[in-house]
Structures are given as C-alpha cells and as structure tokens.
Amino acid sequence: MDSQNVGDIDIFQQCKYIHEVELVNMKLQMRILETHIETKDRLLRNLEDIIDEQEARIANMEDFIQVLSLDFGTLSEENMRLKNALTQMQKSTRMNELLETDEDYESSDLMSCDGGTGNGRSTSPQPTSDVTKSYPLMVQSMREESHWKKLQRCAEELKSEKDELRQLALDTKDAFNVCMGEMKMMLTSKTTDFFRVLIERYKAEMEKRKQLHNQLVELNGNIRVFYRIRPLLRLPQNNEAEDGNEKPVVFIDDMDNGVVHVTNTSNTKKTSASADKVIPTDFSQEQIFEEVSPIITSCIDGYNVCIFAYGHTGSGKTYTMEGPLDAPGINQRAIMQLFETAKDRSNDISYNIKVSMMEIYNEKIRDLLNTANSNLSIRQTDEGKSSIPGLEEVLVTSAQEVTDTLAKGRKNKVVAATEANIESSRSHVIVRVVVSATNLITKVTTVGRLNLVDLAGSERVSQTNATGQLLKEAQAINKSLSELGNVVLALRQNQKHIPFRNCQLTRILEDSLNGDSKTLVLVHLSPDAKSLNESISSVNFAEKIGQVFKSGFKRDVTRKSISGPPKIPASPRK
Ligand SMILES: Nc1ncnc2c1ncn2[C@@H]1O[C@H](COP(=O)(O)OP(=O)(O)OP(=O)(O)O)[C@@H](O)[C@H]1O
C-alpha cells in the first residue's frame, strides 16, 4: 500500500470516526431533546391536572358561595321577620299600656311581672302565643330584664304623656266652652237686637199696610176675609189624629198674620194672598168672638151686617157659628152682646130685637122656628126691599129666650148624610137678627140687620161621589156658593150690576149686603191632610172675594142701606 492510500484510509477513518462521534452526539442530543420533551409533556400534564383540580375547586367554591348566599338570604329574611315581630310587639305593648286605665295598668303590670302566676320575677308582657312560638329568641330577649325595664320606662313616660294630654284636652275643652258661651251670648244678644229692630220695623210697615188696606177695603164696600184653622181632631177611641197624619197641612205664616200656607209633606201647595186676619188654631170661642164683635156692635147702630162661615164639610163652620153647648159660638154670643149694648144705652134708646132662623135647602126656604113653613118665598116690598112673608120672627127679651130660640131652630136643621161626612149639614142656615133702635129724644128709628150664615159644605161634587138626591143637593150648594162669591166680588169691585137674583141665598141677603153694609167671610180650613185639596179650593175662594179693586172705580152712593145708618167709623178692626 502506497502512502497516499494509507493517508486516504486514515482520513476516511477519521472522518468515519468523526461522523460516528457526531452521530452519537446527535443521538445524545436527540435523547436529551426527547427527555426534555418528555419532561415538558409531563410538566404539561401536571399543569393540566393542576388546572383541572383548580377548576374543580372553583366550581366547588361557586357551589359553596351559592349555598352560602342562599343561607344568607334566608337569614336576612328571618332577620326582617324578627325585626317586624319585635316592632309589632313593642307597639302592642305601648298600645296596651296607653289603653289601660291606671288601675288596669297597675294590675296588668303586676300580672306581667310574675307572668300571671305571682312568681314575682319581672318579665316582659307576653306576646301572643303565635309570636312566642315563631320567635323564641325574640321572646327570650324581651324577657331580659334590662329590656323590660326600658319598656317599663317607656310605658311610664307614655302614661305621663297621656295624663298630660288628657289634662290638656280637659283644659282646652273648658276654655273652648267658656269661649263658646261668651260668643253665643254675644251673638244671641246681637242677633236678638237685630231681629227685634227688624221685627219692629216689619210690624210698623205691616200696620201701615193694613191701615191703607183698611181704607181701601172701606172704599171698596167693607168686606173682610178671615181664615180660621181648626185644630187637628183626635179619634175618641185611641186619641190618634183624625186621618192618621199627625202633621197639620195648614199653617199661619210666621211673619204675616193674614197669610196661610197649605202644604203637604213634600212641597208647598199654596200660599194665600194676605187676608185681613188668620185666626190661629188654638183660639177659644171667646177669643174669636172678640175678633168679630166690633162688626156686630155696628148692627145696633143701624148697619147691616153679614157674617158668613165658609168651608168644606168638617172644617168647623157650625162649630164657629153655633158651637157646642159648653162653648157657644158667634150666634149666641152676638145676640147676647146686642142685649148688653142695648141695656147700656137704654136711657137714650129703646131697642127691639127679633130673631128668625131659616135654612135654604135645595133652593127651598124653610123656617127653622116654625116647621110648618117649609117652602117660603121671597117677595119684593113697595120700598124695593126683599122680604119673606110668613117667616117667624121671635122677639127676644132675655138671654134664656135667645138660647131657647136658637136651640129650637137647631133641632129642625136638615142634616143629610154624605160620603164625606155623615153628619154634614147640606143646607145654608141663616140666623137673622133685626135690631130696631128708637131714639127716645128724637124718636127716630133705625133698623140694623145681622145675618149669621152657616153655609153648607163647599166640597166639590167630584170629591163626594154623590149621586141622586145628594148630587142634586151638592149641585145646588155649589151654585149658591159660587153666586155668593160673585155677589161679594161684584160688591167689592163696586160693579154697576150685582147678581143678587141668581139664587135664593143672595136674594135673601140682598138688603143686608147692599148699601153701606159690612160683610165678614170666615173661611174655615181644616188642617188634616185628606182635606188638602178642599182647603186649597177654600183659599182660592177667599182670594177671589178678597180681591181689592185697586183703581178706576167710583163709590156707588145709590147702594145705601134703607134705614140710613149714622156715620160712625166703619172699620170693624181694632
Ligand atoms: N175650633 C175647633 N175646636 C175643636 N173642635 C172643632 C173646632 N172646629 C171644629 N171642630 C170639630 O170638628 C168637627 C167638624 O166641625 P163642624 O161640624 O163644625 O164642621 P162643618 O164645617 O160645620 O161641617 P158641615 O159642613 O158638615 O156642617 C166637629 O166634631 C167639631 O166639634
């Protein structure tokens, strides 16, 4: 082998060796790398395990937190309930203490101190069993002495505050009462003064108005209209009001004693125009006579006077004119008064008083003092006066004769039954008193006539359900009342033609109504509710005849009374 070849082999060997070393080195490096990678992988796995573990822990923690927060919520709810219960208990304790009287307070205090068993250990007021069961902790704490003492102090403070407040309230009430009393007195005196002045002024104005009205009435023919309201009647068997209605429906006006109100329970039905007077319900027969006596006295002076009692059945016409035996009415009192006056004047004047009594029934005139005269007629005398030939006239010279004469006439009165009132008078009854006065010195004689007329009931035919004879009666009554109204109105208005001739009633009374006569119409009203419509219709009648003719008339001097009355003040008013 040449050296070159040997050299080449060495190099080759060296290269191979190097190569092998490098290979080993590379393998080593590979191994190291692999180990490194393995280590990393292991570490990574470990890390993943740790992360998993941590995540599991976090999840556990979250669960735990949730459980905790749930527990916390429950606890705070519980806490709230406890708080509310405590507040409620405190309130109820305070309320109890406030409401209890001092005595109760003491006893309840004692009871609660020993728990109601007398053990003497102070304890808080026991809450309701529910609360005790639900909130044992609270009850326990409430039973703690310090807490109970606080409550006691609080209760005492509240009690003293309550006493103070009570005292304050009493003081305020006293002060208020004193103040009110003073104010009331002040107001009353001021109002009373104010009203007194007002009422005085009003009365003065009313008086003036009435004086003017009187003058006007005298100029218009001297016709007066009074209302009389009878009292509510009581049933004899049970003393109850006649129609079961205790409230009267007719009232006198408080401010104007000439006005009546006819009302029912719901609304005002009618307020009358002012009449001359309203006679109150409680007036006695004597008081009523005092109201009418001036007009009666003028008869003795030669005036013709007519007094009419107008009203529906049961309104009290006969009571006013005749009256019961123990309370005689206008008829008897009037004749007695004429006697008295005649007696007083007997030194100068000789009087002669004659009484006749008649009734007009179905337009027939009957003599009530002599029943044989059952159909009298009216005649015209030569002097143009109307007379009733055959009518009995009784000369009365004593009170007893007057009483007997009137009683005789009363017996003969026709009383027919109607549906409205079975005792109803269906005729007009006229008591006529003729007073002749002869002056003993001058020998001049004057004659005055007094006609006291108890008219038949004014109820409307439609209301009575009358048929046959009763219907005929009712129609005759209605006609004559309506004619009377027309005559009175025509006289008041001073009309040229006065329709006296239209019925027997006005024909009989022609002489008495005509001329310088005086007429008083007493319109009767019944206060019971069932007569409401009749009362309204009576008020309408009163208003019609009470109308004052205000202007455009001249007094008709030709209509004078035949006997020529002396000139005396004509007004019947006081
Ligand atoms: N002022 C009064 N005080 C007491 N009772 C009275 C009064 N007015 C009327 N009465 C009584 O009322 C009832 C009816 O009265 P009265 O007979 O006088 O009525 P009238 O209007 O005359 O009836 P008629 O038209 O039917 O005759 C009677 O029982 C009467 O006693």
Side-chain angles (χ1 to χ4, degrees):
M1 270 210 258
D2 65 11
S3 64
Q4 199 182 350
N5 281 348
V6 171
D8 284 344
I9 290 165
D10 283 343
I11 290 169
F12 177 73
Q13 279 295 335
Q14 277 180 0
C15 283
K16 192 183 165 193
Y17 181 71
I18 291 167
H19 186 70
E20 278 175 1
V21 169
E22 275 180 356
L23 197 63
V24 168
N25 200 14
M26 273 182 70
K27 274 184 183 172
L28 258 173
Q29 274 183 4
M30 273 281 287
R31 186 67 199 144
I32 289 166
L33 268 174
E34 274 173 9
T35 314
H36 201 68
I37 286 167
E38 265 172 33
T39 312
K40 269 197 176 169
D41 280 349
R42 228 180 12 254
L43 273 172
L44 210 62
R45 270 199 305 278
N46 280 349
L47 264 174
E48 277 175 351
D49 287 345
I50 287 167
I51 286 167
D52 285 347
E53 207 177 306
Q54 286 302 328
E55 277 179 347
R57 272 189 193 164
I58 286 167
N60 279 347
M61 282 290 282
E62 276 176 350
D63 287 347
F64 187 57
I65 285 167
Q66 213 168 345
V67 170
L68 269 182
S69 62
L70 272 177
D71 281 352
F72 183 75
T74 322
L75 274 174
S76 50
E77 266 176 32
E78 187 76 359
N79 198 17
M80 278 301 291
R81 272 208 300 279
L82 283 171
K83 263 190 189 169
N84 287 344
L86 182 60
T87 317
Q88 202 180 335
M89 250 202 60
Q90 282 171 337
K91 270 187 196 165
S92 68
T93 310
R94 285 185 189 184
M95 281 297 288
N96 279 343
E97 282 170 2
L98 278 172
L99 288 173
E100 277 165 12
T101 60
D102 292 351
E103 208 176 326
D104 290 345
Y105 175 81
E106 292 300 330
S107 70
S108 85
D109 198 10
L110 275 174
M111 288 292 286
S112 60
C113 278
D114 62 11
T117 59
N119 289 338
R121 174 82 184 124
S122 78
T123 178
S124 62
Q126 295 301 303
T128 60
S129 58
D130 284 355
V131 176
T132 312
K133 277 176 203 160
S134 313
Y135 308 106
L137 283 174
M138 182 194 72
V139 173
Q140 201 181 343
S141 77
M142 287 292 288
R143 280 179 178 158
E144 281 175 13
E145 200 168 339
S146 65
H147 192 89
W148 172 234
K149 276 187 180 163
K150 265 190 210 164
L151 278 176
Q152 267 185 326
R153 266 204 309 281
C154 185
E156 271 162 20
E157 276 169 21
L158 281 172
K159 192 180 159 235
S160 74
E161 268 176 33
K162 189 177 94 177
D163 289 346
E164 271 173 30
L165 277 173
R166 192 185 286 158
Q167 192 51 47
L168 193 69
L170 285 175
D171 292 349
T172 316
K173 197 175 158 195
D174 287 350
F176 177 78
N177 283 344
V178 170
C179 232
M180 280 302 285
E182 281 170 8
M183 268 175 67
K184 216 168 164 185
M185 268 173 61
M186 203 175 76
L187 266 175
T188 314
S189 86
K190 285 208 166 169
T191 321
T192 315
D193 287 351
F194 179 69
F195 274 112
R196 206 182 43 240
V197 171
L198 269 186
I199 287 169
E200 272 164 16
R201 278 191 200 163
Y202 177 77
K203 280 188 176 161
E205 285 302 317
M206 286 292 290
E207 209 41 56
K208 262 192 219 161
R209 191 186 72 79
K210 293 232 156 154
Q211 278 169 8
L212 288 171
H213 176 81
N214 267 351
Q215 288 170 8
L216 202 56
V217 165
E218 278 163 23
L219 287 169
N220 273 295
N222 231 339
I223 293 162
R224 300 274 191 296
V225 179
F226 286 9
Y227 286 109
R228 183 182 191 184
I229 308 168
R230 77 151 162 78
L232 262 178
L233 300 181
R234 302 269 149 199
L235 299 172
Q237 61 268 32
N238 53 13
N239 201 35
E240 279 176 9
E242 50 194 307
D243 61 353
N245 188 346
E246 293 289 338
K247 270 184 101 178
V249 298
V250 183
F251 306 91
I252 180 170
D253 189 279
D254 289 338
M255 297 303 277
D256 188 340
N257 68 357
V259 171
V260 286
H261 301 281
V262 185
T263 70
N264 64 8
T265 44
S266 54
N267 56 343
T268 300
K269 284 274 182 175
K270 172 104 194 164
T271 294
S272 75
S274 187
D276 294 273
K277 189 160 286 188
V278 182
I279 295 163
T281 302
D282 55 0
F283 257 38
S284 65
Q285 298 283 72
E286 205 175 346
Q287 284 172 303
I288 285 166
F289 185 69
E290 276 172 26
E291 294 291 332
V292 301
S293 75
I295 196 175
I296 288 163
T297 316
S298 61
C299 164
I300 211 159
D301 295 316
Y303 278 88
N304 289 328
V305 174
C306 281
I307 298 179
F308 295 99
Y310 180 95
H312 67 85
T313 286
S315 57
K317 303 178 295 292
T318 309
Y319 189 92
T320 299
M321 301 309 286
E322 270 182 27
L325 288 177
D326 56 345
I330 290 175
N331 292 354
Q332 184 157 331
R333 288 174 198 270
I335 303 171
M336 296 298 189
Q337 178 172 303
L338 293 178
F339 267 129
E340 290 298 312
T341 317
K343 219 160 106 186
D344 290 347
R345 298 182 186 175
S346 59
N347 286 340
D348 305 320
I349 300 165
S350 151
Y351 287 100
N352 165 326
I353 298 174
K354 284 182 188 161
V355 176
S356 57
M357 258 180 102
M358 69 198 105
E359 70 172 354
I360 306 168
Y361 175 70
N362 274 349
E363 287 300 276
K364 280 188 185 156
I365 303 164
R366 290 185 188 178
D367 190 341
L368 289 179
L369 297 181
N370 181 356
T371 46
N373 300 331
S374 60
N375 194 2
L376 296 168
S377 48
I378 305 165
R379 294 273 151 76
Q380 197 82 18
T381 64
D382 295 341
E383 296 111 330
K385 278 171 62 183
S386 63
S387 77
I388 306 170
L391 179 70
E392 187 127 327
E393 277 188 316
V394 177
L395 182 71
V396 285
T397 52
S398 69
Q400 191 56 48
E401 277 176 8
V402 173
T403 312
D404 292 347
T405 309
L406 292 177
K408 186 179 174 188
R410 200 180 301 163
K411 265 193 202 157
N412 294 328
K413 241 179 17 175
V414 172
V415 178
T418 66
E419 288 204 29
N421 182 345
I422 52 160
E423 295 250 307
S424 173
S425 310
R426 310 307 300 149
S427 59
H428 306 301
V429 176
I430 305 171
V431 174
R432 173 174 281 185
V433 186
V434 180
V435 183
S436 304
T438 307
N439 189 303
L440 294 176
I441 300 159
T442 62
K443 304 290 178 204
V444 173
T445 298
T446 59
V447 180
R449 285 192 192 83
L450 170 65
N451 291 282
L452 303 160
V453 189
D454 180 0
L455 293 167
S458 62
E459 54 276 5
R460 285 161 299 160
V461 181
S462 58
Q463 291 252 320
T464 59
N465 296 333
T467 52
Q469 175 67 8
L470 292 180
L471 178 65
K472 213 173 136 196
E473 276 179 6
Q475 284 167 339
I477 292 165
N478 276 2
K479 175 161 171 32
S480 54
L481 290 178
S482 146
E483 293 300 343
L484 176 67
N486 294 338
V487 164
V488 175
L489 184 64
L491 284 168
R492 169 148 264 183
Q493 295 184 343
N494 210 28
Q495 289 172 8
K496 277 262 177 283
H497 172 70
I498 312 291
F500 287 115
R501 312 244 122 214
N502 289 355
C503 70
Q504 299 291 54
L505 177 67
T506 48
R507 281 184 75 193
I508 291 174
L509 297 173
E510 179 174 352
D511 295 335
S512 304
L513 289 167
N514 218 343
D516 220 352
S517 62
K518 299 180 184 190
T519 302
L520 171 65
V521 184
L522 292 167
V523 177
H524 288 74
L525 301 171
S526 157
D528 60 308
K530 70 175 175 1
S531 309
L532 187 89
N533 290 331
E534 291 304 340
S535 297
I536 289 173
S537 114
S538 295
V539 170
N540 289 336
F541 177 85
E543 283 182 344
K544 179 183 164 189
I545 59 167
Q547 276 173 40
V548 174
F549 195 64
K550 291 198 173 81
S551 60
F553 72 90
K554 263 190 179 173
R555 186 105 181 92
D556 183 357
V557 285
T558 60
R559 288 201 275 104
K560 281 221 156 252
S561 92
I562 305 252
S563 49
K567 296 285 172 229
I568 58 160
S571 172
R573 290 168 155 277
K574 283 175 184 164

